[in-house]
Coordinates of all heavy atoms in Angstrom, one line a residue:
G1 N 0.8 -1.2 0.0 CA 0.0 0.0 0.0 C 0.8 1.3 0.0 O 0.3 2.4 0.0
G2 N 2.1 1.2 0.1 CA 3.0 2.3 -0.1 C 3.6 2.9 1.3 O 4.3 3.9 1.3
S3 N 3.3 2.2 2.4 CA 3.9 2.6 3.6 C 5.4 2.2 3.7 O 5.7 1.1 3.2 CB 3.2 2.0 4.8 OG 1.9 2.3 4.9
T4 N 6.2 3.2 4.1 CA 7.6 2.9 4.0 C 8.3 3.0 5.4 O 7.9 3.5 6.4 CB 8.3 4.0 3.1 OG1 8.1 5.3 3.7 CG2 7.7 4.1 1.8
F5 N 9.5 2.3 5.4 CA 10.4 2.4 6.5 C 11.9 2.6 5.9 O 12.3 2.0 4.9 CB 10.4 1.0 7.4 CG 11.6 0.9 8.1 CD1 11.7 1.4 9.5 CD2 12.7 0.1 7.7 CE1 12.8 1.3 10.2 CE2 13.9 0.0 8.5 CZ 13.9 0.5 9.8
H6 N 12.6 3.5 6.6 CA 14.0 3.7 6.2 C 14.9 3.6 7.4 O 14.5 4.1 8.4 CB 14.2 5.1 5.5 CG 13.4 5.2 4.3 ND1 12.0 5.6 4.3 CD2 13.7 5.1 3.0 CE1 11.6 5.7 3.0 NE2 12.6 5.5 2.2
A7 N 16.0 2.8 7.2 CA 16.9 2.8 8.3 C 17.5 4.1 8.7 O 17.5 5.0 7.9 CB 18.1 1.8 7.9
N8 N 17.9 4.2 10.0 CA 18.3 5.5 10.4 C 19.6 6.0 9.7 O 19.7 7.2 9.4 CB 18.8 5.4 11.9 CG 17.6 5.3 12.8 OD1 16.5 5.7 12.5 ND2 17.8 4.8 14.0
S9 N 20.4 5.1 9.1 CA 21.5 5.5 8.4 C 21.3 6.2 7.1 O 22.1 6.9 6.6 CB 22.5 4.3 8.2 OG 21.7 3.3 7.5
V10 N 20.0 6.0 6.6 CA 19.7 6.6 5.2 C 18.5 7.5 5.3 O 18.1 8.1 4.3 CB 19.5 5.5 4.2 CG1 20.6 4.5 4.1 CG2 18.2 4.7 4.4
K11 N 17.9 7.6 6.5 CA 16.6 8.4 6.6 C 16.9 9.9 6.3 O 17.9 10.4 6.7 CB 16.1 8.3 8.1 CG 14.7 8.8 8.3 CD 14.3 8.5 9.7 CE 14.1 7.0 10.0 NZ 13.6 6.7 11.3
G12 N 16.0 10.4 5.4 CA 16.1 11.8 5.0 C 17.0 11.9 3.8 O 17.1 13.0 3.2
R13 N 17.7 10.8 3.4 CA 18.6 10.9 2.2 C 18.0 10.0 1.1 O 18.1 10.2 -0.1 CB 19.9 10.6 2.5 CG 20.6 11.4 3.6 CD 22.1 11.2 3.7 NE 22.4 9.8 4.2 CZ 23.0 8.9 3.5 NH1 23.6 9.2 2.4 NH2 23.2 7.7 4.1
F14 N 17.6 8.8 1.5 CA 17.0 7.7 0.6 C 15.5 7.7 0.6 O 15.0 7.9 1.7 CB 17.6 6.4 0.9 CG 19.1 6.2 0.7 CD1 19.9 7.2 0.4 CD2 19.6 4.9 0.8 CE1 21.3 7.1 0.2 CE2 20.9 4.7 0.6 CZ 21.8 5.8 0.3
T15 N 14.9 7.4 -0.5 CA 13.5 7.2 -0.6 C 13.1 6.0 -1.4 O 13.5 6.0 -2.6 CB 12.8 8.4 -1.2 OG1 13.1 9.6 -0.4 CG2 11.2 8.3 -1.2
I16 N 12.4 5.0 -0.8 CA 11.9 3.9 -1.5 C 10.6 4.2 -2.1 O 9.7 4.9 -1.5 CB 11.9 2.6 -0.6 CG1 11.7 1.4 -1.4 CG2 10.9 2.8 0.5 CD1 11.9 0.1 -0.7
S17 N 10.3 3.6 -3.3 CA 9.0 3.7 -3.9 C 8.8 2.5 -4.7 O 9.7 1.7 -5.0 CB 8.8 5.0 -4.8 OG 9.8 5.0 -5.8
R18 N 7.5 2.3 -5.2 CA 7.3 1.1 -6.0 C 6.1 1.5 -7.1 O 5.3 2.4 -6.8 CB 6.8 -0.1 -5.2 CG 5.4 0.1 -4.5 CD 5.2 -1.0 -3.5 NE 5.1 -2.3 -4.1 CZ 5.1 -3.4 -3.3 NH1 5.4 -3.4 -2.1 NH2 5.0 -4.6 -4.0
D19 N 6.2 0.7 -8.2 CA 5.1 0.9 -9.2 C 4.6 -0.6 -9.4 O 5.2 -1.4 -10.1 CB 5.7 1.4 -10.5 CG 4.6 1.7 -11.6 OD1 3.6 1.0 -11.5 OD2 4.8 2.5 -12.4
N20 N 3.5 -0.9 -8.8 CA 3.0 -2.3 -8.8 C 2.5 -2.7 -10.2 O 2.7 -3.9 -10.7 CB 1.8 -2.4 -7.9 CG 2.2 -2.4 -6.5 OD1 3.3 -2.8 -6.1 ND2 1.2 -2.0 -5.6
A21 N 2.1 -1.8 -11.1 CA 1.7 -2.0 -12.4 C 3.0 -2.5 -13.3 O 2.8 -3.2 -14.2 CB 1.1 -0.8 -13.1
K22 N 4.2 -2.0 -12.9 CA 5.4 -2.3 -13.6 C 6.2 -3.4 -12.9 O 7.4 -3.7 -13.3 CB 6.2 -1.0 -13.8 CG 5.6 0.0 -14.8 CD 6.5 1.1 -15.0 CE 5.8 2.2 -15.9 NZ 6.7 3.4 -16.1
N23 N 5.7 -3.8 -11.7 CA 6.5 -4.8 -10.9 C 7.9 -4.3 -10.6 O 8.9 -5.0 -10.8 CB 6.6 -6.1 -11.6 CG 5.4 -7.0 -11.5 OD1 4.3 -6.5 -11.0 ND2 5.4 -8.3 -11.8
T24 N 8.0 -3.0 -10.3 CA 9.3 -2.4 -10.1 C 9.3 -1.6 -8.8 O 8.3 -1.0 -8.4 CB 9.6 -1.4 -11.3 OG1 9.6 -2.1 -12.5 CG2 11.0 -0.7 -11.1
V25 N 10.5 -1.7 -8.1 CA 10.8 -0.9 -6.9 C 11.9 -0.1 -7.2 O 12.9 -0.4 -7.9 CB 11.2 -1.9 -5.8 CG1 11.4 -1.2 -4.5 CG2 10.2 -3.0 -5.6
Y26 N 11.9 1.1 -6.6 CA 13.0 2.1 -6.8 C 13.6 2.6 -5.5 O 13.0 2.5 -4.4 CB 12.3 3.4 -7.5 CG 11.6 3.1 -8.8 CD1 10.3 3.0 -8.8 CD2 12.3 3.0 -10.0 CE1 9.5 2.7 -9.9 CE2 11.6 2.8 -11.2 CZ 10.2 2.6 -11.2 OH 9.6 2.3 -12.3
L27 N 14.8 3.0 -5.6 CA 15.5 3.7 -4.4 C 16.2 4.9 -5.0 O 17.1 4.9 -5.7 CB 16.5 2.7 -3.8 CG 17.1 3.2 -2.5 CD1 16.0 3.3 -1.4 CD2 18.2 2.4 -2.1
Q28 N 15.6 6.1 -4.5 CA 16.2 7.4 -4.9 C 17.3 7.6 -3.7 O 16.8 7.7 -2.6 CB 15.1 8.5 -4.9 CG 15.7 9.8 -5.2 CD 16.4 9.9 -6.6 OE1 15.8 9.5 -7.6 NE2 17.5 10.6 -6.6
M29 N 18.4 7.8 -4.1 CA 19.5 8.1 -3.1 C 20.1 9.4 -3.4 O 20.7 9.7 -4.5 CB 20.5 7.0 -3.3 CG 20.0 5.5 -3.2 SD 21.3 4.3 -3.1 CE 22.1 4.5 -4.6
N30 N 19.9 10.3 -2.4 CA 20.5 11.7 -2.4 C 21.5 11.9 -1.4 O 21.7 11.1 -0.5 CB 19.4 12.7 -2.3 CG 18.4 12.6 -3.4 OD1 18.6 12.2 -4.5 ND2 17.1 12.9 -3.0
S31 N 22.3 12.9 -1.5 CA 23.4 13.2 -0.5 C 24.2 12.0 -0.2 O 24.4 11.7 1.0 CB 22.7 13.8 0.8 OG 21.9 14.9 0.5
L32 N 24.6 11.3 -1.2 CA 25.4 10.1 -0.9 C 26.7 10.3 -0.2 O 27.3 11.3 -0.4 CB 25.6 9.4 -2.3 CG 24.4 8.7 -2.8 CD1 24.6 8.4 -4.3 CD2 24.3 7.3 -2.1
K33 N 27.1 9.3 0.6 CA 28.3 9.4 1.4 C 29.2 8.2 1.1 O 28.7 7.2 0.6 CB 27.9 9.3 2.9 CG 27.0 10.4 3.4 CD 26.6 10.2 4.8 CE 25.6 11.2 5.4 NZ 25.3 11.0 6.8
P34 N 30.5 8.3 1.3 CA 31.3 7.2 1.1 C 30.9 5.9 1.8 O 31.0 4.8 1.2 CB 32.7 7.7 1.5 CG 32.6 9.2 1.3 CD 31.2 9.5 1.7
E35 N 30.3 6.0 2.9 CA 29.9 4.9 3.6 C 28.7 4.1 3.0 O 28.2 3.1 3.5 CB 29.6 5.1 5.1 CG 28.7 6.3 5.4 CD 29.5 7.6 5.6 OE1 30.5 7.9 4.9 OE2 29.1 8.4 6.5
D36 N 28.1 4.8 2.0 CA 27.0 4.2 1.3 C 27.5 3.2 0.2 O 26.7 2.5 -0.4 CB 26.0 5.2 0.6 CG 25.4 6.2 1.6 OD1 24.9 5.6 2.6 OD2 25.2 7.4 1.3
T37 N 28.8 3.2 0.0 CA 29.4 2.2 -1.0 C 29.1 0.8 -0.6 O 29.4 0.4 0.5 CB 30.9 2.4 -1.0 OG1 31.2 3.7 -1.5 CG2 31.5 1.5 -2.0
A38 N 28.4 0.1 -1.5 CA 28.0 -1.2 -1.3 C 27.4 -1.8 -2.6 O 27.2 -1.1 -3.6 CB 27.0 -1.3 -0.2
V39 N 27.1 -3.1 -2.6 CA 26.2 -3.7 -3.6 C 24.9 -3.7 -3.1 O 24.6 -4.1 -1.9 CB 26.7 -5.2 -4.0 CG1 25.8 -5.8 -5.0 CG2 28.1 -5.2 -4.5
Y40 N 23.9 -3.1 -3.9 CA 22.6 -2.9 -3.5 C 21.7 -4.0 -4.2 O 21.8 -4.3 -5.4 CB 22.1 -1.6 -3.9 CG 22.6 -0.5 -2.9 CD1 23.9 -0.1 -3.0 CD2 21.7 0.1 -1.9 CE1 24.4 0.8 -2.1 CE2 22.3 1.1 -1.1 CZ 23.6 1.4 -1.1 OH 24.1 2.4 -0.2
Y41 N 20.8 -4.7 -3.3 CA 20.0 -5.7 -3.8 C 18.5 -5.3 -3.4 O 18.3 -4.7 -2.4 CB 20.2 -7.0 -3.2 CG 21.6 -7.5 -3.4 CD1 22.7 -7.1 -2.5 CD2 22.0 -8.5 -4.3 CE1 23.9 -7.6 -2.6 CE2 23.3 -8.9 -4.5 CZ 24.2 -8.5 -3.6 OH 25.5 -9.0 -3.7
C42 N 17.5 -5.8 -4.2 CA 16.2 -5.8 -3.8 C 15.7 -7.2 -3.5 O 16.2 -8.2 -4.1 CB 15.3 -5.0 -4.8 SG 14.9 -6.0 -6.3
N43 N 14.7 -7.3 -2.7 CA 14.1 -8.6 -2.3 C 12.9 -8.3 -1.5 O 12.6 -7.2 -1.1 CB 15.1 -9.5 -1.6 CG 14.9 -11.0 -1.8 OD1 13.7 -11.4 -1.8 ND2 15.9 -11.7 -2.1
R44 N 12.1 -9.4 -1.3 CA 11.0 -9.3 -0.5 C 11.5 -9.1 1.0 O 12.7 -9.4 1.3 CB 10.2 -10.6 -0.6 CG 8.8 -10.6 0.1 CD 8.3 -12.0 0.1 NE 9.0 -13.0 0.9 CZ 8.6 -14.2 1.1 NH1 7.4 -14.6 0.6 NH2 9.3 -15.0 1.8
V45 N 10.6 -8.7 1.8 CA 10.9 -8.6 3.3 C 9.8 -9.4 4.0 O 8.7 -9.0 4.0 CB 10.9 -7.2 3.8 CG1 11.2 -7.2 5.3 CG2 11.9 -6.3 3.1
P46 N 10.2 -10.6 4.6 CA 11.6 -11.1 4.6 C 11.9 -11.7 3.3 O 11.0 -12.0 2.4 CB 11.4 -12.3 5.7 CG 10.0 -12.6 5.6 CD 9.2 -11.3 5.4
S47 N 13.2 -12.0 3.1 CA 13.7 -12.2 1.7 C 13.3 -13.6 1.2 O 13.2 -14.6 2.0 CB 15.2 -12.1 1.7 OG 15.9 -13.0 2.4

């Protein structure tokens, strides 16, 4: 239904969204920091 949760480490900088018609999930990442360096994956919760 679109309710979101963001970890404290990314809150205020990252925004998750989804388009159910396109079966797609997005992650808008702003104000990136070196500590955000990683491989990013999507999956169900729980996975």
Side-chain angles (χ1 to χ4, degrees):
S3 296
T4 62
F5 162 83
H6 297 83
N8 286 338
S9 58
V10 306
K11 194 174 294 183
R13 301 187 298 119
F14 291 10
T15 303
I16 189 171
S17 61
R18 68 191 294 165
D19 185 335
N20 288 335
K22 296 182 178 179
N23 280 11
T24 302
V25 184
Y26 304 98
L27 187 68
Q28 178 66 44
M29 306 188 297
N30 299 329
S31 302
L32 282 161
K33 303 176 181 181
E35 52 263 44
D36 295 319
T37 295
V39 180
Y40 285 72
Y41 304 87
C42 74
N43 208 314
R44 189 186 67 171
V45 180
S47 66

